[in-house]
Amino acid sequence: MTAPVANCPSCGAEIRFQWAGAVQTVCVHCGSVLVRRGVDLQNVGRVSEPPPATSRVQIGTRGVYDGSAFTVVGRIAYQYERGFWSEWHLGFADGRSGWLSDAQDEYAVSFLAESARYTPDPGTLRPGEPFTFRGTQYVVSSLTRARYAGVEGELPFEYWDRAEVLFVDLGGREGSFGTLDYSEDPPLVFLGEYVPFQALALRDLREPEERRAEGADALSCPNCGGTVTIRLPGETVNAVCQYCQSVLNARSPKLQVLQRFQDRVAVRPLIPLGSTGRMHGAEWTVLGFQQQTISVEGVKYSWREYLLHAPERGFRYLTEYDGHWNDVVTLKDAPQVIGRGQQARVQHRGAWFRHFQRASAETSFVLGEFPWQVRVGDRMQGDDYIHPPLLLSREQTRDEVTWSLGEYVPPQRIWEAFRLEGSPPQPRGVFANQPSPHPAMAPLWYACLAFAAALLVLLLVSAQSSRQVYAGSATFVTTDPDERNVLVTEPFTITGRPSRLRVKVETDVSNAYAYFDMTLVDEGTGRTREFDAEASYYHGYDGSTRWSEGSQRDGASVPRVKPGRYRLVVAPQASSDVRYSIRAVHGAPALSLYLLGLLALLAPPLVKLMMGAGFERSRWMESDYPPTSGDDE
């Protein structure tokens, strides 16, 4: 389709449309807003230039999305409380119209959806609440009241000189999103997804030096006269004077003071502002620094956040608390929350996170520059969910819900990335998502089980090789002389290698005891070895409860009995007549030795298990769900 050509009714300049479906355009020569009425162009007014672009996208930039080529043909600029953003109009080669949202170096592609049968009253929407559109689940992520700040290029509809507009952003799964645009009645619905800058294959971009001033801009603080360095001119909304800590409006040519320091205690960043470090394959610059503070049972706890920026990569954070560091990125896909309180779980990218803590935090100190408004005294409600070494955080303000994902980073890695001098402060205590120094012990347990199985095999083999060499019985009578109660067994033969001889005694004692003094006699050498056994068994009733103690059997072992002919001499003593039997087994395994071996095998993993349990207890003692025991419950 051939794009139409016309002349500007205001200045006469030639207007050549890049997209055949354009309804509105802006004359690049005189700034007039022109609307197509059939084949004619009508001048509907003049607008000031839109705010300077903060990305390298410009009219004429070309790219590819989902396999389809597009050209940037127009732009709508918006200003809002935390900064501004651009909506770039995309004309696709197949005739479609789409939008590329550009806010703080984050990019999203969306398309106008068909009118919804039901669009809710914005007064009923709250950040964090679920929202369903055409069977797809979303979560209300923010309600933004934005001011129209100008247009340029070609648009698919009339859009100029608008007042304040309400936008409701919806977060979906895997980076999908939606926007309810209340600039019209009924509201417009746009659906799309977040896209990495590199994935758009953009070309014909604005040169980097056109996007912002070369190097950094230096201005004077109107409060104290100190030099204020703006490292991201054109994009920075707030800047904080390093000398008096006044919060300044970076969009004002004279840096209007928005908030004065008011005798707050200054906090020194461990990473100086302006430092650069290499992380995730890019160079990141430290732009801003803020301290967040919570109060728990009257005690204040503070952590520090460093705002990092890399061209075309956007923003991310480093957070630090008591020497513990996290590398944090804002999420575009809202995690799924299941349950409440201690049972709350969050699923994100296949991992389950457990709720750790909820607290209301206040910004207690700020320094540097931010692409959105930041004030001392800003408050938010935060929830942390952990899956060490990962930390999911949900921050909610009146109009917005933001999810971020942090990963625990050893302090030394931060020092190396930013080439900082000296050594980092040593971490204190156990942090929420700090990896346990006692990692999963599955390999160790597997090794122990393998050795235990080997011990069991040895025990079974040893038991199979044992042999009974004697069995007999006798009776002890209390009225007989001692010599008549002595039992001298028939000779028995022991063969094989020297091994343990196990002698077992079983009796019929009842509320009585029997003691057996035994001697093993080697008939070949005359050598004797003495040992004993005792059986005592008592029982009865205590009221209606039956009780018993002791045993009617006992045994003894003789170690390393060599092959030969032997006899047993048994001299019993008892409190009453008793019948007893004796069995002698050669080569019987020593169960106690095998048990000691098993305990020795289990000792390392058990110690590791106890150390890991202690570490986890320390972790959860800092949570909303500290471990309890006994009366502490």
Side-chain angles (χ1 to χ4, degrees):
M1 181 184 297
T2 302
V5 179
N7 294 100
C8 174
S10 180
C11 70
E14 182 181 81
I15 305 296
R16 184 176 295 274
F17 288 86
Q18 299 185 66
W19 182 59
V23 172
Q24 174 183 301
T25 188
V26 176
C27 178
V28 297
H29 300 283
C30 66
S32 296
V33 177
L34 309 176
V35 176
R36 292 172 63 183
R37 308 288 191 196
V39 295
D40 298 324
L41 287 177
Q42 179 181 348
N43 183 1
V44 295
R46 295 173 60 93
V47 294
S48 60
E49 289 293 326
T54 59
S55 74
R56 295 178 60 192
V57 179
Q58 61 181 345
I59 303 296
T61 292
R62 293 179 295 169
V64 177
Y65 172 73
D66 196 23
S68 298
F70 65 79
T71 301
V72 177
V73 297
R75 174 191 180 210
I76 305 175
Y78 294 100
Q79 289 181 319
Y80 71 120
E81 183 181 12
R82 297 190 65 191
F84 66 86
W85 83 92
S86 296
E87 295 288 347
W88 299 94
H89 179 216
L90 309 180
F92 283 84
D94 57 10
R96 288 184 301 158
S97 172
W99 296 90
L100 175 62
S101 178
D102 162 22
Q104 285 98 43
D105 284 351
E106 294 175 350
Y107 300 88
V109 175
S110 63
F111 299 89
L112 179 64
E114 295 180 6
S115 298
R117 294 182 179 178
Y118 165 72
T119 306
D121 182 339
T124 64
L125 298 175
R126 296 290 184 273
E129 292 184 352
F131 182 87
T132 302
F133 182 76
R134 292 182 181 170
T136 301
Q137 294 289 332
Y138 295 93
V139 174
V140 177
S141 56
S142 66
L143 284 77
T144 304
R145 295 193 176 275
R147 298 181 301 278
Y148 165 81
V151 294
E152 62 177 325
E154 304 168 13
L155 303 180
F157 42 70
E158 290 188 41
Y159 204 92
W160 58 280
D161 196 24
R162 294 297 180 98
E164 187 176 75
V165 178
L166 174 64
F167 295 92
V168 178
D169 286 336
L170 311 173
R173 303 302 301 274
E174 299 181 356
S176 64
F177 81 98
T179 297
L180 305 180
D181 178 351
Y182 285 85
S183 63
E184 296 188 15
D185 187 15
L188 303 176
V189 181
F190 295 86
L191 300 178
E193 64 176 342
Y194 291 96
V195 183
F197 182 85
Q198 295 81 359
L200 294 171
L202 298 176
R203 56 192 185 280
D204 298 329
L205 292 163
R206 192 188 312 270
E207 291 300 321
E209 60 269 16
E210 296 178 34
R211 178 186 175 191
R212 55 180 68 92
E214 184 70 27
D217 287 352
L219 302 172
S220 296
C221 173
N223 186 55
C224 69
T227 300
V228 178
T229 301
I230 306 296
R231 296 179 175 85
L232 211 58
E235 190 163 355
T236 295
V237 173
N238 276 178
V240 181
C241 176
Q242 62 177 319
Y243 303 102
C244 66
Q245 281 77 53
S246 294
V247 179
L248 311 172
N249 180 4
R251 300 221 174 273
S252 170
K254 296 183 179 180
L255 294 180
Q256 175 189 5
V257 176
L258 299 176
Q259 185 181 51
R260 286 183 168 82
F261 187 51
Q262 298 179 340
D263 300 327
R264 294 179 184 269
V265 177
V267 182
R268 180 185 176 188
L270 295 176
I271 309 176
L273 297 183
S275 299
T276 59
R278 187 158 189 83
M279 300 170 56
H280 308 287
E283 285 290 330
W284 298 84
T285 301
V286 180
L287 295 181
F289 170 80
Q290 60 182 328
Q291 177 173 272
Q292 304 278 13
T293 300
I294 64 174
S295 180
V296 180
E297 298 180 351
V299 180
K300 292 186 176 182
Y301 301 88
S302 298
W303 71 93
R304 274 77 35 202
E305 298 179 352
Y306 298 79
L307 176 65
L308 311 182
H309 177 264
E312 278 73 59
R313 298 290 293 272
F315 297 89
R316 66 188 309 122
Y317 296 88
L318 289 175
T319 66
E320 178 271 328
Y321 173 79
D322 271 358
H324 300 275
W325 291 82
N326 268 276
D327 180 13
V328 182
V329 62
T330 302
L331 294 179
K332 301 307 170 198
D333 48 340
Q336 181 182 8
V337 182
I338 300 176
R340 295 177 178 271
Q342 189 169 5
Q343 302 303 318
R345 299 288 189 275
V346 171
Q347 186 180 33
H348 179 66
R349 298 176 185 175
W352 285 94
F353 294 74
R354 180 180 173 186
H355 188 254
F356 187 81
Q357 188 178 53
R358 166 172 288 187
S360 177
E362 177 181 340
T363 300
S364 55
F365 184 81
V366 291
L367 199 62
E369 58 189 276
F370 298 84
W372 47 78
Q373 291 187 1
V374 178
R375 304 280 196 282
V376 171
D378 287 349
R379 300 189 68 86
M380 64 87 178
Q381 184 77 30
D383 284 276
D384 289 334
Y385 301 82
I386 65 168
H387 179 91
L390 302 179
L391 172 70
L392 264 179
S393 296
R394 180 183 185 273
E395 297 181 358
Q396 179 167 357
T397 62
R398 181 187 60 185
D399 298 324
E400 186 175 21
V401 171
T402 304
W403 284 90
S404 60
L405 179 65
E407 182 173 5
Y408 192 90
V409 181
Q412 190 59 41
R413 191 182 304 173
I414 303 295
W415 252 242
E416 293 171 357
F418 286 88
R419 300 175 293 277
L420 301 176
E421 296 181 355
S423 299
Q426 288 299 309
R428 292 180 293 175
V430 177
F431 193 63
N433 64 321
Q434 182 179 354
S436 174
H438 315 289
M441 298 175 294
L444 187 57
W445 281 110
Y446 292 151
C448 290
L449 289 175
F451 280 113
L455 280 177
L456 179 60
V457 170
L458 290 175
L459 177 61
L460 293 176
V461 170
S462 179
Q464 289 293 329
S465 63
S466 62
R467 184 172 65 90
Q468 178 174 292
V469 294
Y470 174 79
S473 60
T475 301
F476 173 83
V477 180
T478 55
T479 57
D480 285 348
D482 290 344
E483 60 272 12
R484 291 188 57 182
N485 281 314
V486 173
L487 169 66
V488 179
T489 70
E490 295 295 326
F492 53 87
T493 302
I494 293 178
T495 58
R497 59 183 179 82
S499 185
R500 189 173 74 120
L501 180 69
R502 177 68 175 170
V503 179
K504 301 178 182 180
V505 180
E506 294 189 11
T507 71
D508 61 357
V509 294
S510 179
N511 287 320
Y513 75 90
Y515 174 79
F516 301 90
D517 190 357
M518 292 181 279
T519 304
L520 177 65
V521 181
D522 186 340
E523 291 196 328
T525 63
R527 182 185 175 187
T528 62
R529 302 175 74 173
E530 297 180 353
F531 53 97
D532 58 60
E534 182 177 1
S536 60
Y537 178 66
Y538 296 88
H539 58 89
Y541 285 89
D542 184 2
S544 60
T545 304
R546 179 177 174 80
W547 62 271
S548 64
E549 62 180 16
S551 174
Q552 292 179 312
R553 64 187 63 184
D554 194 15
S557 297
V558 183
R560 294 188 59 79
V561 177
K562 298 179 180 180
R565 283 178 62 83
Y566 292 87
R567 290 177 184 268
L568 275 174
V569 178
V570 182
Q573 300 178 22
S575 57
S576 62
D577 293 354
V578 58
R579 181 172 178 80
Y580 62 92
S581 62
I582 293 180
R583 293 175 58 246
V585 178
H586 185 248
L591 294 179
S592 59
L593 294 180
Y594 285 92
L595 181 60
L596 288 174
L598 181 61
L599 291 177
L601 285 174
L602 292 177
L606 288 176
V607 170
K608 283 277 190 180
L609 187 65
M610 294 174 62
M611 295 173 67
F615 184 88
E616 291 301 319
R617 180 179 178 84
S618 298
R619 182 201 307 280
W620 287 96
M621 284 299 294
E622 302 300 321
S623 74
D624 288 347
Y625 319 105
T628 57
S629 60
D631 294 339
D632 291 342
E633 288 192 351

